[in-house]
Amino acid sequence: MENNKFRVELFPSGNISKLIFKNDPSQMNWMIDTDYLNQADYDATDKLFGSFSLTVQAKTYNSRVIEADVSFSNHVATVTYLFEDIQVRFIYDLSQSADAFYWTIQLKNRTNQALDVSDFTVWASFAYVMYRINDLPMQTKQSAAVFPSISKDFTKLACVRRSNEAPHLGVYQVKGETKSIGTYCDYENRFFENVSPSLDGLLFHQLVFAGGYPAGFENSDWIYSKDRFSLKANEMKEWQFAFEEFSNLDNFYQTGKSYGHPVYDADPLAIVERPYHFSVSLASDNSLIDAWVESKDQSETVNSENIKQKIQKNGSVYAGTLVFTEPGEHKLCVKLSNGKVDCFILNVMEPIQRILADRADYISKVLYQGADSEIPYSYFPVSNQGESLGKLSFVLKKNLLEKTNKTEVEKVEESCVNYIRPKWFVDGDFTKPADLYGDFYRCMDFEYIGHVFYLLSQFDDETLQYNSANTYLEWAADVFCLRVNPDLHETERGKEEAQMLGTYFLYINDLLKDLKERGLHEKYIEMNELWTSIAETVATDSVSYKAAVTEHFYDNAGFGPAAGALASSDRQEAAKRYGELLIANIGFSNDFRAQNPDRWWEALSYMVHSLWGGLTAAGTLKAYEALHDARYLKAAYRATVGILYCYDPNARAIDKRLSKGEAASTYSIAGPHLNRPDLSRNRFGQSTFYRDGGIFAKLFNKEEETSDWDMGEELVAYLDGFGKKTFLYEEDNEIKVINGSIEQTDKGLLIHSYAPYPSEYHFYDADAHFISERGEIINEILYADGRFIKVNEQERGIQWNH
């Protein structure tokens, strides 16, 4: 079937086999390709688009056990499943609009008595695939990330092509109520086979109209419903979704508005006792009749506060300012004149500096294993992977931004000298890496080690106990050279990985600068030549997106650092190419937790991953600072807010609660998480997969390992970015703020920063910048007459009337 925009094909079973935009140069199939599933040996015939499961009166039905009746008429396909007491019907309609595709789901009670529907889920499986083929045009042009926005009456899905080349696919709820969206993951990981790339897989998405979880399942997710529903005698219940193409984030929401979906202008993060501004724009035939905010308090009670009186109307836009007094997830709800309800989920956090201080204290007092421990001078949990050293870098970075806690720094230095160097290098020789993974080592480990050494070199010799600052600077240079020089490696894997970009893009320019300024000229020359060669090679290869391949077939651990490194080395055109992959990789949603960089394999679901989410956000911010395109700024911030959730002790919509200083590296957005229902909308560490066996049993020693083994490096990236910087930008002739809030005063715009160590304010659109001297904390600043003005400059005659 086809209309002006779409071509749709069905299997004889009634499942959709192809959904293609006719004007798409790549002719991407937005459905999962069954030929590829067969080729890659993935058995997923029960999860193709339109498959379903249904539990009625405690009896379960599904599309596998019955043959559907499939009929076609005038660009409409009708697929009917007839059971004894209930009928399921899908209507695929290309006739209602030349540019849209309508999918209607009907559930009809065939009896003369009420039926209890405890579970009704339908697979909406789009082409969310990492192909087991080293073919980057296929990975970028024939695959999509799927970003969900779940709302009682306004659920939508943004299916974004990974190349970020439009057209993309938008799915908009028109009728019915969607409770949730779950995912199932199929994958293969050959990491321990010394194969690179080693991982591929795909996610299947499931729309939940009732239940969705195993019988008796409960968790702390108070935001989304798990309710069942009842069908009266002979009653038919209907859901409908419209599919349309969209070109970018703004266009996605404007298209939704044409279907009645509200459009929000609201930050994903608020800070307690700070003003929070938001607005919602409605379609012209609708108006806002009520608004409230829901949140869960410390006694686990969900409270509701009406905010209708705090909202002002200006045409079709409704705006308000709120001040939250309690931290935790908040659900902002609006009710429209047509009776429909929509929501926006934001996080309210206590001042972030407090959370970071508690984290550093916890690392130093709880995770540090002293001289008399089983593994002296290590930090728990012990791991062979360099990611585990990120927490040491965070402790050092935090101490560089505030008054030094000598004890915290001393413990890191002890670990560097007595644990890290002898473990990762044979006899401590930086040219002889130890085979910590059986018969091979990972070059990526060395960039984390180099970062710890470099940050140690930033302290004065009076603070350091074992070696001088310059000694650690030389160590950092030596390890960096090993990380990036293929001639220093004998194995093919070592030579290949040495040429891959990694987290070192965060500190390479600073390391070079310090080597030069401290007179280590030979080290500087060697490193600068290596770095220049790498950057040039990556820039040249950017046409083919070569850096998008790491240990995995397609990985934001490749194109995130690539974009950041190219931006930092002033290779703007190449940075733009990889930057588009970043824009396609970072989600947008009505829920702050679904606005993260996509890296499904850490949770086997759509997810937040603290480390690589944070480093991808950092690369995106560097792209903004080089390219001055606000898409990057907004995407980097959206991603960062989800990362902070992994450290938030006040989160109450999850089972994994954190005490002060604790952290959990992973958050599963999906609910239900169909591989592991217990992980649905929950935080955890990957060691929880230990009991599932396979590769996880080799990666971890036990399920109870702490959940923060690979966390910390992303906090260093955060502290160098949004941890100290607040940004203004112009949009629709209005000045807006990222990482802060704006207050109108009679002297100009008063900017309140959300950064824990605010020392920089930037407005690239106006070429206005403020950087405080010696990192002085500046919590708020005035922007007036095209420049930033310190609030405490009384000679300027500023009178504050907050």
Side-chain angles (χ1 to χ4, degrees), residues 99-146:
D99 296 320
F101 168 51
Y102 284 85
W103 177 32
T104 303
I105 302 164
Q106 296 176 343
L107 192 64
K108 185 176 181 180
N109 182 349
R110 302 182 64 218
T111 74
N112 58 5
Q113 62 183 16
L115 295 178
D116 173 60
V117 180
S118 58
D119 191 271
F120 184 32
T121 59
V122 179
W123 290 100
S125 302
F126 298 99
Y128 189 119
V129 186
M130 180 198 287
Y131 293 99
R132 192 184 303 165
I133 304 169
N134 212 352
D135 182 339
L136 283 167
M138 175 174 280
Q139 302 285 13
T140 56
K141 297 178 186 293
Q142 302 294 323
S143 176
V146 179

Side-chain angles (χ1 to χ4, degrees), residues 394-448:
F394 160 65
V395 170
L396 295 177
K397 186 66 181 181
K398 193 269 298 185
N399 276 280
L400 289 167
L401 292 172
E402 61 181 26
K403 183 179 178 180
T404 300
N405 181 322
K406 288 194 68 173
T407 300
E408 291 181 354
V409 177
E410 286 171 2
K411 288 179 178 179
V412 173
E413 187 183 9
E414 283 179 341
S415 186
C416 285
V417 174
N418 299 312
Y419 168 66
I420 294 176
R421 184 172 183 178
K423 173 176 179 174
W424 268 272
F425 305 98
V426 178
D427 298 326
D429 186 339
F430 293 134
T431 66
K432 297 179 179 178
D435 288 338
L436 298 182
Y437 303 91
D439 60 351
F440 69 97
Y441 55 84
R442 294 170 77 225
C443 279
M444 281 75 78
D445 293 344
F446 307 140
E447 61 204 44
Y448 297 95

Side-chain angles (χ1 to χ4, degrees), residues 5 7 19-30 137 140-142 161 163-168 245-246:
K5 186 66 64 176
R7 185 169 78 252
L19 180 69
I20 296 170
F21 291 117
K22 292 166 65 176
N23 66 340
D24 178 8
S26 299
Q27 290 294 287
M28 173 177 170
N29 181 8
W30 291 86
T140 56
K141 297 178 186 293
Q142 302 294 323
R161 195 191 313 258
S163 66
N164 205 37
E165 295 173 291
H168 310 295
E245 72 168 46
F246 70 93

Side-chain angles (χ1 to χ4, degrees), residues 713-730:
E713 193 77 11
E714 75 284 5
L715 283 186
V716 183
Y718 168 72
L719 289 172
D720 276 328
F722 291 119
K724 62 182 181 181
K725 299 175 183 178
T726 296
F727 298 88
L728 300 183
Y729 68 102
E730 192 168 345

Side-chain angles (χ1 to χ4, degrees), residues 217-280:
F217 178 87
E218 293 184 6
N219 65 3
S220 298
D221 174 26
W222 58 269
I223 294 174
Y224 297 108
S225 169
K226 307 178 187 67
D227 292 346
R228 63 217 302 152
F229 62 80
S230 179
L231 276 177
K232 297 176 184 176
N234 300 306
E235 180 187 5
M236 184 178 74
K237 201 172 186 67
E238 187 171 84
W239 298 261
Q240 188 177 72
F241 296 86
F243 293 43
E244 279 208 39
E245 72 168 46
F246 70 93
S247 57
N248 55 39
L249 181 154
D250 292 333
N251 181 240
F252 173 76
Y253 286 114
Q254 289 307 313
T255 300
K257 193 174 182 180
S258 71
Y259 290 102
H261 287 226
V263 178
Y264 294 88
D265 185 359
D267 280 343
L269 175 67
I271 303 295
V272 290
E273 306 295 350
R274 301 279 187 89
Y276 176 79
H277 309 291
F278 73 95
S279 69
V280 56

Side-chain angles (χ1 to χ4, degrees), residues 37 145 147 158 176 186 246 271 275 324 338 354 362 378 386 456 495 497 526-527 609 623 637 675 700 793:
L37 293 182
F147 304 123
D186 230 336
F246 70 93
I271 303 295
F324 300 103
N338 62 4
R354 190 180 307 160
Y362 179 86
S378 64
L456 265 182
K495 290 181 182 295
E497 290 183 357
E526 181 184 5
M527 273 188 53
H609 185 243
Y637 189 65
N675 298 74
F700 304 102
E793 292 182 7

